[in-house]
Each structure stands twice: as structure tokens, then as C-alpha cells.
Amino acid sequence: MTDQHPHGHQPHHHFETRAIHAGNTPDPLTGAVVPPIYQVSTYKQDGVGGLRGGYEYSRSANPTRTALEENLAALEGGRRGLAFASGLAAEDTLLRTVLAPGDHVVIPDDAYGGTFRLFAKVVSRWGVDFSVADTSDPAAVQAALTLRTKVIWVETPSNPLLGITDIAALAGIARTAGVKLVVDNTFASPYLQQPLALGADVVVHSTTKYMGGHSDVVGGALVVADEALGEELAYHQNAMGAVAGPFDAWLVLRGIKTLAVRMDRHSENATRVAELLSRHPRVSQVLYPGLPGHPGHETAAKQMKAYGGMVSFRVADGEEAAVAVCDRTRIFTLGESLGGVESLIEHPGRMTHASAAGSPLEVPADLVRLSVGIESADDLLADLQQALG
């Protein structure tokens, strides 16, 4: 595997070491220990067709983006990593690479609203159709397959209902059916979950979230197990052009260096938040895979290192009460997105998942979603206590 990791990364190194060193070779000219931001569009050629290091134009490749892409591949244990301008740009490039008009996809019944919109409003106009299935039930996924199915799409944990899908079980179904299994690993991050090792074909990330980790960059990624698919995706990445810019790639690479320690704290804090909420009289249900009562708890325990920083809950008094809780927090900031060091709160029905209203993916009106940050857990618990009243 050394040909994949030209920067001296050894695949057997532990995750924390790979996160800091993979793709991060000291600059040969100056010895700088961090890859420079190559804020450049084009490169001098040594004669016609003589490229230095394979670089000719920064849509095709840029050294800062290359560093990130090598790092992503190392973290997910894949053959090829690709960095994009956003998570949805990554998804769109993937779909247009592996699908053709007439093909069919199985998507989760609680997919991210933006992913649902991409299928329902964009890709469907291109002649690709989809079925919605409860991916936590392998039998339901099996039943949704048709002769035209090319992809099974999974989010685990899912957004915003924190559903858990058994990746290895679905990988078996996908292999037997000859279809690709795609796993959106945004909520878990590669530190907590490794879908390719469990049999997935492609991992998708919004690197905006935990990978970047500081709410200051928008980006996306694909990591694949198969070299040939990686080549095909790289061709389409260049042909379609929604690439990560060098500064954005640099910010994501910078965020990844602390991914392991951040995810440990996110998970610890979220566990304490979920336990508090599950005891609160104004909360009717808590959705967190770390709670023993969660229907996906055993599967999550099997395939995840810890349970992550996302917690959703339902407010007993209904929609207006849920909105009021979102308005009353002081440390939890009312805002969309997730995965940053600061805690966020939102109302999915009116905010992140409004695009799914009236569809099979509509979320409960009394649902509140938390992205639990890395602040003091005691302060976060006190904030939720006062907001719930």
C-alpha cells in the first residue's frame, strides 16, 4: 500500500498518528512542517506537456488539496480520497459517476434534507428514481431493491433522528445484489466509524462538520475502496469542477489534526446531555445511540468506537414548546450545521429539514436537534435545564 501514501504514512499507524501525519509531509524547499496553501491557478511546465509533480491547473489538482485527499484516504482506510467544495458537491459528483438515466437508488427514510432534495429535485429530472426504506431494517432494504437498483445509500447515525444502520449487514445485501453501498459518515467521522472496513464501497463526508470542526469552512469528501472507481471519480471531479479550494482544503486538514481529541469530548458531553434529557419531565423522547434504550444501541456499540456528539429529543408539549426551547438557550447557539467546537441547537422541521416537509422524510414537529460542542459539560447541562424550564 506504500504507493498510495507517498508521504511516508504507514497504514498500521494508529488513527491519531495518521490524522496528524498522513499527507502532511514537511515542505522539501523550506522544511515547513505544515503543507503550504498553494493559492495558485496554474503551473509552469518544463516544455510542452512536461508537468512538475503532475500539476498543470488547480481544478485538476492542487498540492494543498492533494495533501488533504491523501489524509482522507488514510483516515478511512481507502484507496483514494477526493475533496470537494461541499458535501453536496461530493454527492452530486458521485451520483453522476455511478448512475445513468433509468437507474434506481434506495435511500434512507430519514436522510439529510439536502440529500433528499438532491434526489427528489435534481437527479430525478435526469431520469434516476429512488425508493425510501428504513435502512435500520435489512429486510426493508432487500424488499426495496429492483433490477434497476445501482446504489444503496445509508446515513448512520442518521440526520436528525439518529437512526443506526448495520453497515456490515447491508454490505452483504449490496454484494449479493451487485450494487454499491454508499455510507454518509459525517455524523460519526472516521475516528468513530470505518465504513469501508465494514464492507461499504464509498464513504461520503460533509467536511464542513466534524472534520473541519470549527464552523469556518464548507467542504465535502469521497473516499473509495476500489482504485478503478477512484480513478473514475477523479475524472468526474475534474470534468464537473466542484473542487475544494486550497485555503478550504488547508482549513479542513488543520481541523483533522485534532479530530480524535475533539470526538472524544463531543461524545462524553453528548452522553451527559442525553442522560439529563432522558430524565427531564418535559422531554418525551431522547434519540441518542449511546442510550441503552435506543433501538440501534447494540449495532452502534458493535460498529462505532463511541456514540458521537449529536443528540435529538422531542418536547412533550409539542411544536411551539420545542421552538421556545430553541429560542431560550444561551450557550447553545440557534443555528444550522453541526460538528463545530461550539454547541448548536435547531428545530429541524422549520430549519434544516424544511425541504422534506410533506414527503416520506418529514420530521416530527416537536423535534429539537443538538450539536453538542466541547464546552464544559456542566455549563451545557445548566443551559438546557433553564431552557426547558
Side-chain angles (χ1 to χ4, degrees):
M1 283 181 66
T2 47
D3 61 326
Q4 264 180 275
H5 307 291
H7 295 290
H9 154 63
Q10 295 299 314
H12 59 260
H13 282 155
H14 290 94
F15 183 93
E16 295 85 345
T17 305
R18 278 180 282 147
I20 291 168
H21 293 285
N24 286 278
T25 183
D27 177 43
L29 187 64
T30 64
V33 297
V34 172
I37 302 168
Y38 283 90
Q39 196 67 47
V40 57
S41 61
T42 193
Y43 305 81
K44 179 186 186 296
Q45 300 190 16
D46 298 322
V48 176
L51 309 184
R52 293 188 195 184
Y55 296 102
E56 58 179 334
Y57 184 60
S58 276
R59 171 173 33 78
S60 306
N62 172 285
T64 314
R65 193 174 93 222
T66 299
L68 172 59
E69 291 180 335
E70 289 175 359
N71 185 276
L72 291 166
L75 293 192
E76 287 285 6
R79 298 293 296 176
R80 187 77 177 259
L82 299 158
F84 293 85
S86 69
L88 283 167
E91 293 186 9
D92 186 44
T93 303
L94 171 63
L95 294 176
R96 289 174 198 271
T97 302
V98 301
L99 297 174
D103 288 345
H104 172 262
V105 182
V106 177
I107 69 167
D109 61 2
D110 57 349
Y112 163 56
T115 299
F116 173 72
R117 183 178 55 214
L118 181 62
F119 279 106
K121 306 290 186 195
V122 180
V123 185
S124 63
R125 292 176 57 201
W126 191 53
V128 169
D129 64 342
F130 64 92
S131 301
V132 170
D134 174 3
T135 59
S136 69
D137 176 7
V141 175
Q142 183 74 59
L145 295 176
T146 75
L147 294 173
R148 296 183 297 113
T149 306
K150 293 290 190 293
V151 169
I152 298 170
W153 192 281
V154 169
E155 284 174 27
T156 182
S158 68
N159 180 11
L161 300 178
L162 283 304
I164 298 295
T165 293
D166 187 329
I167 297 171
L170 260 57
I173 290 171
R175 261 195 312 275
T176 303
V179 307
K180 285 185 168 53
L181 177 62
V182 176
V183 177
D184 183 336
N185 202 27
T186 297
F187 268 28
S189 88
Y191 177 63
L192 298 183
Q193 182 170 269
Q194 305 261 313
L196 297 181
L198 295 166
D201 297 289
V202 184
V203 173
V204 176
H205 283 281
S206 168
T207 55
T208 308
K209 313 302 193 301
Y210 288 107
M211 305 286 258
H214 293 77
S215 303
D216 55 10
V217 62
V218 172
L222 299 174
V223 184
V224 297
D226 177 66
E227 191 77 59
L229 178 57
E231 281 297 320
E232 215 180 328
L233 286 166
Y235 176 87
H236 281 82
Q237 178 192 40
N238 182 49
M240 294 169 68
V243 295
F247 185 50
D248 290 349
W250 186 88
L251 280 170
V252 174
L253 199 54
R254 183 176 192 260
I256 285 171
K257 289 178 168 66
T258 58
L259 179 63
V261 289
R262 286 187 288 107
M263 294 312 295
D264 282 340
R265 176 62 69 85
H266 284 299
S267 299
E268 286 168 24
N269 282 0
T271 298
R272 289 192 59 189
V273 164
E275 287 167 351
L276 168 85
L277 292 170
S278 59
R279 294 191 299 268
H280 200 285
R282 292 200 57 214
V283 173
S284 60
Q285 188 183 12
V286 181
L287 305 170
Y288 185 63
L291 293 174
H294 188 286
H297 177 68
E298 285 179 25
T299 301
K302 182 179 69 176
Q303 68 189 19
M304 298 177 74
K305 182 184 171 108
Y307 302 102
M310 299 302 297
V311 180
S312 290
F313 64 98
R314 298 180 69 170
V315 179
D317 301 324
E319 181 173 7
E320 295 309 320
V323 170
V325 171
C326 293
D327 287 335
R328 278 201 296 264
T329 56
R330 296 290 170 263
I331 298 175
F332 282 86
T333 301
L334 181 64
E336 299 191 4
S337 197
L338 57 107
V341 290
E342 65 291 300
S343 294
L344 299 176
I345 188 168
E346 66 114 3
H347 184 267
R350 294 190 188 180
M351 293 170 66
T352 52
H353 290 67
S355 63
S359 80
L361 283 78
E362 186 168 2
V363 297
D366 58 3
L367 190 75
V368 173
R369 189 189 75 179
L370 304 176
S371 174
V372 181
I374 64 172
E375 303 96 337
S376 154
D378 290 340
D379 292 341
L380 296 178
L381 298 180
D383 191 34
L384 289 171
Q385 285 276 29
Q386 68 79 23
L388 283 160

